[in-house]
Amino acid sequence: NWQWKSCQRHCFNDGFCSECLLVRLSASDNTSVARCTQCHCYSPFKGDRCEIRTGESYESGVVSTSKAMAVILPLMALLVLIAVGLVLYHRHRHLRGRSREHRIIYNEERVDMDSASVANEA
């Protein structure tokens, strides 16, 4: 019915009529009109016809989440880089220490061999 369409167009900003009543124009006349008596509004809108924008919105939650991610992701990347750097530093120190141990052992064996050869020559 065309009268119900007026209820659908009553609310603004994607709101919809949640209560549409048929209102009689006059007692003598048998004509009536559909009127929306209550609109259901989506955030950030409110008002009788969803015509007032409020400061809060569903989208603002999304924006704050993306801002948080813009801070969290670089911090996570920095922590990963620090961890990788520490592992590489520790590994380098460990290998350098093993190399020094090898040189000391090698030098000690060489010294022993030299003293043994010196003892054999004498």
Side-chain angles (χ1 to χ4, degrees):
N1 186 325
W2 66 271
Q3 293 175 337
W4 297 108
K5 288 182 183 179
S6 66
C7 281
Q8 293 173 345
R9 288 180 267 146
H10 181 76
C11 305
F12 299 118
N13 299 309
D14 294 327
F16 65 90
C17 184
S18 58
E19 193 173 311
C20 190
L21 299 175
L22 207 54
V23 178
R24 187 172 290 206
L25 291 177
S26 67
S28 62
D29 194 349
N30 204 11
T31 59
S32 55
V33 174
R35 300 260 185 219
C36 181
T37 58
Q38 186 172 6
C39 289
H40 177 79
C41 307
Y42 292 104
S43 180
F45 299 99
K46 68 177 186 175
D48 293 336
R49 297 181 70 186
C50 307
E51 73 278 10
I52 301 169
R53 179 185 286 274
T54 64
E56 300 174 6
S57 78
Y58 173 76
E59 294 171 359
S60 69
V62 173
V63 170
S64 64
T65 301
S66 64
K67 285 180 183 177
M69 292 303 285
V71 171
I72 290 172
L73 288 178
L75 286 176
M76 294 289 286
L78 181 64
L79 287 174
V80 167
L81 286 174
I82 289 171
V84 167
L86 287 173
V87 167
L88 291 175
Y89 175 76
H90 180 4
R91 186 169 182 222
H92 172 72
R93 298 263 308 176
H94 180 70
L95 291 176
R96 190 171 141 211
R98 287 182 66 194
S99 173
R100 184 178 298 147
E101 289 172 11
H102 178 71
R103 276 187 265 137
I104 291 170
I105 292 170
Y106 177 74
N107 289 339
E108 286 175 2
E109 289 174 357
R110 186 172 177 192
V111 168
D112 289 340
M113 290 181 76
D114 286 342
S115 62
S117 64
V118 170
N120 287 337
E121 290 177 7

